[in-house]
Structure formats: C-alpha cells, structure tokens
Amino acid sequence: MVEKEIEEKVYKSIVKTIKDAPLEEFYTSGHRTCQGCESALVMRFLAKAAGPRTIVIGATGCMYVANTTYYTTSWIVPWVHTQLGGSGAAALGTAAALRALMRKGKIKQEPINVIAFCGDLGCADMGLSGVSNAMTYNYNLVIVLYDNESSANTDIQETSMTPYGAQTSFSRPGKQRRIMKVRWKKSVVPMIIAGHRNVKYAATMTPAYPLDSINKFRKALAIGGPTFIHSLDPCPKGWDYDPKFSHELGVLAVETGIWPLYEYINGEIVYNEPTKSIIEGRIKRKPVKEYLEKQGRFSHFTEEDVEYFQKMVDEMYEEWEIPAVMPIKSVNVKISDK
Amino acid sequence: MTETRKIIEREVLMNGTQAVANAAMYADVDVVAAYPIRPYTEVMDTISKLIADGELDAEFIVAEGEHGQFETVKHASLVGARTLVGSSGVGWLYAMEAIVVTATDRAPVVAIIGNRALDDPGAYGVEHNDAMMVRDVGWLLAWVDTAQEAFDTTLIAYRVGEDPRVLVPVGISMDGGFLTHSEQIVRLPPKELVKDFLPPYNRGKYLVHPDNPITVAPQVNEDWVMEIRRQHDEAVERARGVIVEAYESFKKVFGRYPGSTSEIEMPENPFVEPFMIDDAEIVLIGMGTVSKPMKVAIKKMRNQGYKVGMLRIRWFRPFPTQDVIKYLSQAKVVCVIDRDYSIGSPNRGGVIYHEIRSSLYDLDQRPKVLNFIGGLGGREITIQDVEKIIKIGYEHRDTPITKPVYWVGVRGDPW
C-alpha cells in the first residue's frame, strides 16, 4: 500500500477532468516549435501543472533552440538555460540554493517548484550521471525527459533512445546494411526507480493523454523530493509523418504496447490509461505494424524487421517480471543451513 | 569624529586551500559544490568540516563530476546564492563547458584552482596551463603567493565578482603543492568586520526568482552575441577600478593591505608585486610561489652588483598592462618565468611571455624580453636556476637576443 501521507498528497494534487485544469498558461505564445510538436505540449502541461511559483531549467536541445529565442521567449515563469548534460546538476544547484537562502532568511520561505527538462540526448546519454546524482539528494526537484527519440535540434541524429532500426542521419539504411540502429532503446524510468531509494515518484507519459500528463506533473510536484518523468513525444520532423497525426501516434505507441504508461509511487507500479487495460487483459495490444507503418523512419522495414520488433515488445509483456517495466526475474534461492 | 578601532587578528597555521575555505566561511557562502581532485581538494575537506561543526551554514553538494560541480554553482549563483567551487588540472578542463557559461551567464561564483599539470602523462604537481584555459573567456584570475594572500584574495573575489558593475566569476589560482599543501601563519581578522567589507550578494534585476521571471541565456545567434561579448569585456575592464576600490576598502576595514602582515610587507598595488625594481636593469617576472626563489636569488645577486628586480603578477585577468609598462619601461632586459607553455606559439614560448611582450610592443623604447619555461609538472625552480636566469638576462643587456626562449633544467639540454 502507498503510505497514507503520500496517498493524500496525490489525491489533493490531481485534476479530475481536463475542465478542472487551471486556465492560466505559463508556457505561451512566442515559441517556434514545428507544427505538430508534442514536446511543446509537454512544456505547456508542465508549466500549467506547476503554476507561477516555479523555476524552469532547460538543457540544450530542440526545446531550447525552438522556444527560447531572445525577445520571443515563451516562458512566463523564470527560465534558465543549462548545458546539454547539465540538467541534473542545474536542478540540484537551484534547489540547494533555494533551500539555503530560505533557511538563512535571505529570501522568503515558500515552496518554489524546480523543474529541469532535457531531451533524450542530453538526459539519457550525456547527462545521465548528473540526473542520477540529483536523484540521490533529497531536494524537491522534477527532471523531465522529453524524448523524441533523436537529437532533433542538430538535424535528426541517433541517440540511445532511438528505437530499433529507425532511420536517422546517423543510422541510414544502405546497400549493405538495412538496419544501422541495432541497439534496443533504454528504459530510463526503471533505471531511476531501481537505483535511487529516495525517489518516491517517477512516471512515463505521452502528451496524447493530456489529463494523465498534467496529473503526473502535479503528483511529482506534490510528492516532492527528487522525481522523474519520461515523456514520449512524437516528432513530425524526425519521425517523418504528417503533423496532424502526432496525437494519433502517441496513442498508437501506447496501444501497441511500445510505450507503456505507468507511474511509480513510493515502491509501487501503477499502470495508467490503455496500458492498465492491456496489463489487466481487458484489451489486446494492437500489432506494432500499425505504429511503424505510419512513420517514414521505418519505411525501410521488411516483414522480418516488423516481426522482430513485435517479438521484442511481446517479450516485454509476457516474460518480464513487472510487465513492460522490469526485465528482472526473481529466483527462489534456498539459503542452506550450513 | 573618526573612530579608531584596535583590530586584533588571530594567528592560525593553515595551508593555502584551508585559507580559502576559511575565507569562504567568513563570506558566509550558501552553496558549495565539491568533487575531488588533488591538489585543490583540501578546500572542500575543510569546508565540509566547517559545515559539520556548525561554523558555516551552507548546502554541501558532492557532484558527479566537475561538469556537474560547476553547473551546480552556476545555477545556485543565478538564484542568488553565494557559492564556492574549485578544481585542478584535468578536472578543471572536464568542467570547461560549464566554466565558460558561468562567465557568459555572469554568475559571480568564486573558484579555487589548485594548479596542476594536465594529463597525459599524469602528474599532480603545479603547472599553470589549467587555469590559463579560461584566460580568454571572461573570468577574473588572480594568482596568489601566500596562504595569507589566498585568504584575503578570496574575500576580495566575492566583493569584486558580485559588484553590480562586474558580475563575473573569479578564479583564485595557487601553485599545487607549493601553496596548496604548505602551512603558513595566516592572520584571521575578527569575523564581525567582514560585513563592513563584504555586502550581501544582490543580483538585482538579474535574479532568477518567481517574483522576477526573467529568461537567462536564450538563443541569440548573430543578432545579439557581439553586443553581449562586448558587455562582458567591458565588465571585466570595469573590474580594474572595482579591484582597486576593494583593496583600499580592505585596508580601511581590516587595518592592513591585502596579502600583507607584519612579517610580509606588501607594496600597495593590487595587480602586481614589485620587488627591488626601482633601479633594476634586469626584471624577473613570474606568478605564484616562484617569487620565493626569485626574491632570494635577487637579494643574493644584488650583493654581487647585479641590478636586478622582480615583478610578480597578482591579477592575470584583467591583465595589468599599465603596471607592466610602468615598471618595465626603464628595464633593459625582462626575464619572464612561465610555469606554463604555449606550444606552437610565436617564438614557442609561454603564455605570460607573450602577454608581456604584447604589453610592451607600443613603447618607443622597449626592453628585450627573454622567456624561461620551467617548473612544469611540479618540478622545482631553484635559487640556482633563478641565478642562472639573471646571468643570462645580464648578458643580453647590450647584445641582441638570439635565443628568446629557454627551458629551465630540461635533461640533456644545456641552457
């Protein structure tokens, strides 16, 4: 069972319907993101969920380049840039400074949200050690990994989060090798929850489910301590599809089981939205083909590749100890009396 | 009516890093970020103990690497915290990306650099190339010579860096081993006087806080970056005046000139320390603890009739061009001792050598400049080495320079 105190915090923080969400926007006009950009929605949801008493830190990435052009910044709340691999340390420094300044009476004592966001290249690759370090300290901060499965501000390059086989400018299919991206995508949330004991909240999300997304930010901020949210953001430019299908692709990623939606609350995994129904056996996962065939980045896939992809996703649900989350299985070890 | 007060200083035996840590405690820092690398590390050892003992109220963050270490203090500084950080050698270089943006975001953090050789090959002795890496990116850089100067300069660093006319980070460089690890008597002034010298850190309209929702470091590209670079350069230039003010104020508040004690007499110039220079034909130039063998050798050679003096650079950024001109224009030969190198540079010399030569270029009558690269990787520059340098300089009084750069005491190289 979730501890009572945390349960109360979660209950108080959530928004029951999308109509109950605050009307105010703190990430507003002025950004230059692409048409159909889902990462822009992540920013909008997190700002809406957090409200005005917030400091946002943004690592280098497409959301830096597109959003924060001098004179056209889209942030109503204070926003600070950090280097590509700096989001963990920057959040830590900000949270630590606020705590010290409030304790020493140098600024007014009040809760101020500290949110750092970083893309998959900055967070899951270069900045992972910094994010991990931030998760070991007991400061109130949220780190948001907005994952469009590529390095999207430098053109579209492969990162460790690019799905198997996807085309990027670093992984182009050629005459000899059809699949250049042979690595399977990392699972970052399990890494965070398994390795950092004082993390009380971590979650996956996708902006295709707005209420779920807003509530996950609100829960993270309400529960406090170091928290982590990993968002899958369909990207029309990098994934090569018509921008009008952004939401549909987010939904398909969940419904095909490629992107399970779950949250970790104080030691428990809770599945959300369609993933919950999938895990409970009430609906069947859609074939991954439906998701893959809508994107140009998988256009070189043969039936064989799709089958392999399907097999890997099936494994996540059928063979993992915690379906679609943890691939570790417990073994019954008998401790001998010797 | 002016009040005269008797200032009773406490004498404590401490090394250079401990002196910086104690000064940071006096300055009441709010956030400290640590990551180990010798020889700077002891500053963090000392700070953590001061926090544990309740002598300092600050958040102590152990970073995951130097890059994170410098990002942590940069962001803490932007939300209004006074910070301390530091590193050495390759650690300093590992953080370089964060170090550069600390300056360009105008976060006045104070960093201690325990100078150390750069890998490979691994060596943990002093070499100035690590700190030199930031000479062009808008940090203020001071090289200290004694633990007393380390203590005093740290307080000055907070005062100058946080001045609204400056808002630039300050690096306090000290020779690894020779100063970071050698204990000296440091005179600690009464703590309550510090508030008369060091005002609270106030970022004003540049503070990152929900009450002041600014955007820091947006993308500007070609539209604005030139103006921002120029403003930064002007801030460093303004620091010259602010440094002078700070030194004068220090003397007023604490009753002695920074770096000086009753045992150490310090000429009242913030940027350079001249020694026996008034009638000198040969002037030695160096930074940091190399001044010790230089002073001994100069006294010795003076007895033998050599007219030799010394100019130690205390602030390397902003570079004391006017002081260099003032003290060197009458000299015949200037011998620059570099504890660094600039491989492939004009004349294949050291960094200070080129700065000095450049400072003197516009003079109608300029002295000859010789360069001596020595003491790399922590190798000692001995009194005998300096005597030899003086003799080489002396030989060039009336003869043209054929060999401008000497490497001091390299095996198999008769210099």
Side-chain angles (χ1 to χ4, degrees):
Chain A
M1 268 304 287
V2 178
E3 276 170 41
K4 212 168 178 190
E5 196 190 334
I6 290 179
E7 206 173 7
E8 260 172 38
K9 277 184 182 172
V10 168
Y11 186 75
K12 275 185 196 161
S13 65
I14 56 169
V15 176
K16 304 281 180 306
T17 71
I18 198 71
K19 284 180 182 162
D20 300 330
L23 280 175
E24 296 92 344
E25 299 289 354
F26 299 99
Y27 168 86
T28 176
S29 55
H31 58 90
R32 308 184 305 169
T33 56
C34 311
Q35 198 179 21
C37 174
E38 293 282 280
S39 298
L41 279 181
V42 176
M43 302 298 127
R44 188 177 160 202
F45 293 156
L46 80 83
K48 195 184 254 301
R53 305 311 280 174
T54 302
I55 293 172
V56 179
I57 299 153
T60 311
C62 61
M63 285 296 100
Y64 171 48
V65 180
N67 282 320
T68 322
T69 305
Y70 194 34
Y71 281 166
T72 66
T73 178
S74 41
W75 291 99
I76 305 282
V77 288
W79 182 92
V80 193
H81 174 230
T82 186
Q83 296 309 108
L84 189 55
S87 42
L92 203 51
T94 307
L98 291 176
R99 185 182 286 179
L101 293 170
M102 285 179 195
R103 184 177 64 232
K104 293 163 95 170
K106 293 183 180 178
I107 59 170
K108 200 180 85 193
Q109 191 108 32
E110 63 169 329
I112 294 178
N113 303 317
V114 175
I115 303 173
F117 63 81
C118 38
D120 43 312
L121 186 81
C123 184
D125 291 345
M126 186 198 238
L128 191 58
S129 61
V131 169
S132 168
N133 199 46
M135 293 293 139
T136 61
Y137 274 94
N138 238 331
Y139 293 108
N140 293 328
L141 52 92
V142 187
I143 293 182
V144 181
L145 161 51
Y146 69 95
D147 178 8
N148 49 26
E149 305 195 319
S150 66
S151 167
N153 72 316
T154 47
D155 202 6
I156 302 296
Q157 281 86 22
E158 174 185 329
T159 74
S160 69
M161 306 303 276
T162 304
Y164 171 84
Q167 285 189 46
T168 67
S169 65
F170 281 180
S171 56
R172 304 181 207 218
K175 287 176 194 155
Q176 283 290 322
R177 289 170 65 181
R178 193 177 64 255
I179 302 293
M180 278 293 282
K181 165 72 177 165
V182 289
R183 311 181 278 161
W184 197 257
K185 187 179 167 108
K186 264 191 228 179
S187 300
V188 185
V189 171
M191 220 189 304
I192 298 290
I193 60 183
H196 306 82
R197 285 193 71 163
N198 58 346
V199 173
K200 297 277 181 286
Y201 187 83
T204 62
M205 60 163 266
T206 178
Y209 298 88
L211 189 63
D212 180 65
S213 303
I214 291 174
N215 278 335
K216 280 172 175 167
F217 286 123
R218 289 181 75 94
K219 284 179 206 172
L221 291 164
I223 290 171
T227 50
F228 186 85
I229 290 173
H230 184 174
S231 172
L232 180 76
D233 307 350
C235 169
K237 181 184 163 200
W239 298 13
D240 192 8
Y241 60 81
D242 190 309
K244 70 182 175 194
F245 295 121
S246 282
H247 258 47
E248 190 184 328
L249 274 169
V251 171
L252 271 176
V254 178
E255 288 181 348
T256 54
I258 290 171
W259 186 249
L261 290 179
Y262 59 89
E263 52 195 340
Y264 166 87
I265 313 177
N266 199 29
E268 287 184 12
I269 296 288
V270 180
Y271 294 97
N272 320 106
E273 302 283 348
T275 309
K276 189 174 158 72
S277 305
I278 290 169
I279 298 289
E280 289 170 355
R282 279 184 279 120
I283 58 167
K284 269 181 85 105
R285 276 181 284 125
K286 286 186 177 167
V288 295
K289 194 170 191 291
E290 283 186 33
Y291 175 73
L292 301 179
E293 72 186 5
K294 287 194 169 55
Q295 303 171 50
R297 60 177 175 160
F298 298 113
S299 60
H300 58 297
F301 266 28
T302 60
E303 280 304 313
E304 200 181 41
D305 299 329
V306 175
E307 266 170 41
Y308 174 75
F309 209 108
Q310 184 68 59
K311 189 187 108 226
M312 292 293 277
V313 174
D314 291 347
E315 232 170 57
M316 276 165 66
Y317 287 84
E318 287 153 20
E319 292 176 28
W320 285 10
E321 179 70 14
I322 305 174
V325 182
M326 288 274 193
I328 302 158
K329 288 197 171 173
S330 60
V331 183
N332 288 325
V333 182
K334 270 192 183 162
I335 300 164
S336 76
D337 296 330
K338 278 179 220 167
Chain B
M1 203 180 85
T2 53
E3 191 198 348
T4 51
R5 40 189 178 185
K6 197 172 176 331
I7 295 159
I8 299 165
E9 292 191 302
R10 207 153 48 89
E11 288 189 351
V12 185
L13 193 63
M14 57 174 74
N15 63 33
T17 58
Q18 291 166 337
V20 171
N22 275 280
M25 176 194 71
Y26 271 54
D28 188 30
V29 294
D30 303 306
V31 175
V32 183
Y35 191 78
I37 183 168
R38 69 204 291 192
Y40 110 96
T41 321
E42 205 174 337
V43 70
M44 294 305 170
D45 302 352
T46 313
I47 282 274
S48 80
K49 180 74 175 138
L50 288 170
I51 293 171
D53 287 345
E55 305 221 16
L56 169 66
D57 183 5
E59 298 293 305
F60 187 77
I61 304 285
V62 180
E64 82 292 348
E66 286 88 355
H67 187 279
Q69 194 190 352
F70 280 79
E71 280 289 333
T72 299
V73 290
K74 178 190 105 190
H75 286 266
S77 182
L78 293 175
V79 296
R82 184 169 283 165
T83 55
L84 179 74
V85 70
S87 197
S88 284
V90 286
W92 178 252
L93 265 63
Y94 186 63
M96 197 47 73
E97 184 196 31
I99 286 172
V100 171
V101 292
T102 302
T104 50
D105 288 358
R106 309 286 295 276
V109 309
V110 170
I112 165 177
I113 312 149
N115 295 133
R116 171 181 170 161
L118 303 176
D119 296 355
D120 281 346
Y124 48 78
V126 51
E127 212 173 86
H128 291 167
N129 270 81
D130 53 357
M132 286 293 179
M133 294 288 172
V134 302
R135 73 190 171 122
D136 301 327
V137 298
W139 276 63
L140 306 187
L141 270 181
W143 252 272
V144 296
D145 185 18
T146 60
Q148 184 69 57
E149 205 178 51
F151 179 88
D152 298 347
T153 309
T154 305
L155 288 180
I156 288 166
Y158 285 111
R159 161 108 179 222
V160 173
E162 292 169 4
D163 191 290
R165 292 164 287 177
V166 181
L167 284 178
V168 159
V170 187
I172 297 163
S173 282
M174 63 174 72
D175 287 1
F178 294 118
L179 181 51
T180 56
H181 285 64
S182 73
E183 292 197 326
Q184 302 159 9
I185 291 284
V186 177
R187 284 167 186 264
L188 301 179
K191 212 174 169 182
E192 59 274 13
L193 290 186
V194 174
K195 65 179 187 308
D196 296 342
F197 172 71
L198 191 59
Y201 171 36
N202 182 1
R203 272 190 83 73
K205 62 180 177 179
Y206 306 113
L207 181 74
V208 175
H209 189 273
D211 290 340
N212 187 42
I214 55 168
T215 298
V216 177
Q219 273 248 307
V220 296
N221 298 337
E222 73 282 3
D223 294 347
W224 284 104
V225 80
M226 292 237 353
E227 285 74 10
I228 289 166
R229 294 284 180 269
R230 173 80 82 86
Q231 286 176 356
H232 195 160
D233 175 60
E234 283 164 1
V236 172
E237 195 50 37
R238 279 196 296 274
R240 280 182 208 278
V242 179
I243 288 170
V244 174
E245 273 175 34
Y247 275 68
E248 277 162 9
S249 165
F250 190 101
K251 192 184 175 188
K252 217 182 217 172
V253 174
F254 299 112
R256 59 176 173 78
Y257 201 71
S260 64
T261 60
S262 51
E263 288 85 39
I264 313 161
E265 210 183 304
M266 188 64 73
E268 299 201 355
N269 184 325
F271 299 102
V272 291
E273 184 199 355
F275 178 79
M276 293 190 161
I277 205 169
D278 293 338
D279 62 337
E281 293 179 336
I282 313 296
V283 178
L284 306 181
I285 293 184
M287 290 200 305
T289 55
V290 73
S291 72
K292 299 290 188 304
M294 276 157 75
K295 283 178 178 173
V296 176
I298 286 167
K299 281 185 188 166
K300 224 170 143 185
M301 298 294 273
R302 278 262 172 189
N303 290 337
Q304 296 172 27
Y306 289 90
K307 282 187 177 174
V308 57
M310 176 197 91
L311 193 71
R312 178 171 67 86
I313 311 278
R314 291 170 87 180
W315 285 86
F316 185 72
R317 281 290 180 271
F319 193 77
T321 321
Q322 289 310 317
D323 295 289
V324 164
I325 290 171
K326 184 178 136 197
Y327 286 108
L328 299 187
S329 53
Q330 294 308 313
K332 286 191 171 162
V333 184
V334 175
C335 301
V336 183
I337 301 179
D338 266 293
R339 234 183 178 130
D340 56 72
Y341 48 83
S342 177
I343 293 172
S345 62
N347 282 2
R348 298 162 63 201
V351 177
I352 316 172
Y353 165 64
H354 289 115
E355 303 268 312
I356 297 283
R357 260 166 68 104
S358 169
S359 304
L360 299 174
Y361 183 79
D362 291 331
L363 297 182
D364 293 331
Q365 247 201 320
R366 44 181 181 255
K368 293 167 196 161
V369 187
L370 285 170
N371 188 203
F372 299 87
I373 292 176
L376 301 184
R379 189 173 290 186
E380 208 169 340
I381 296 177
T382 62
I383 297 163
Q384 289 73 26
D385 287 334
V386 182
E387 282 173 18
K388 197 165 177 186
I389 289 168
I390 295 170
K391 281 178 188 159
I392 293 172
Y394 215 73
E395 283 163 20
H396 284 89
R397 276 179 312 160
D398 303 313
T399 53
I401 289 170
T402 48
K403 183 184 176 188
V405 181
Y406 294 82
W407 282 60
V408 177
V410 175
R411 278 193 197 88
D413 177 15
W415 63 284

